[in-house]
Amino acid sequence: MGVSAYNYHPVQALKKERDYLTYMWPEYLGKQSQEYPELLVSNGTLYWANTNIFLKDKTFYGRRLKGYESYSIDIDTVEDYTEAQRIASMRGLKALEQG
């Protein structure tokens, strides 16, 4: 499965309850970021599975799931596209073609 690191660590997540924000995982409140667990997220770039096991379990999240870590950008808006161009330029890559 293609995976990426989060832009912001998930243990910093806030949830909205009525008019206030609270920590989603208060056990990490006050901890240094070096103490956070290493978490990755599926980025949708690739999935590779044993067909028989996939058809039986009906999920890519099997018992022996492995990840291929890569960088990805989800482009849904003009702002996302602009950010992707900025990052590509910083990395010395050619500008993305509009299409």
Side-chain angles (χ1 to χ4, degrees):
M1 174 180 292
V3 296
S4 297
Y6 287 89
N7 290 334
Y8 299 97
H9 203 287
V11 301
Q12 297 172 326
L14 302 170
K15 61 182 172 180
K16 195 171 187 178
E17 293 181 342
R18 298 187 184 107
D19 293 332
Y20 300 98
L21 299 174
T22 59
Y23 272 96
M24 184 73 185
W25 293 286
E27 63 269 26
Y28 291 101
L29 183 61
K31 293 201 181 262
Q32 295 182 347
S33 60
Q34 296 87 340
E35 299 175 66
Y36 295 165
E38 182 178 0
L39 300 176
L40 301 167
V41 63
S42 171
N43 61 27
T45 57
L46 69 101
Y47 297 93
W48 189 335
N50 177 294
T51 304
N52 294 328
I53 294 171
F54 176 77
L55 292 173
K56 178 179 158 269
D57 295 344
K58 297 183 178 24
T59 182
F60 288 108
Y61 295 87
R63 293 182 309 271
R64 296 177 56 204
L65 180 64
K66 291 187 178 185
Y68 174 77
E69 197 166 345
S70 62
Y71 183 80
S72 67
I73 300 172
D74 189 18
I75 301 177
D76 295 321
T77 66
V78 172
E79 291 79 14
D80 293 341
Y81 179 76
T82 301
E83 178 66 5
Q85 284 187 309
R86 186 187 69 76
I87 291 169
S89 176
M90 283 179 19
R91 292 180 175 210
L93 303 172
K94 289 198 305 186
L96 303 170
E97 291 185 26
Q98 293 183 343

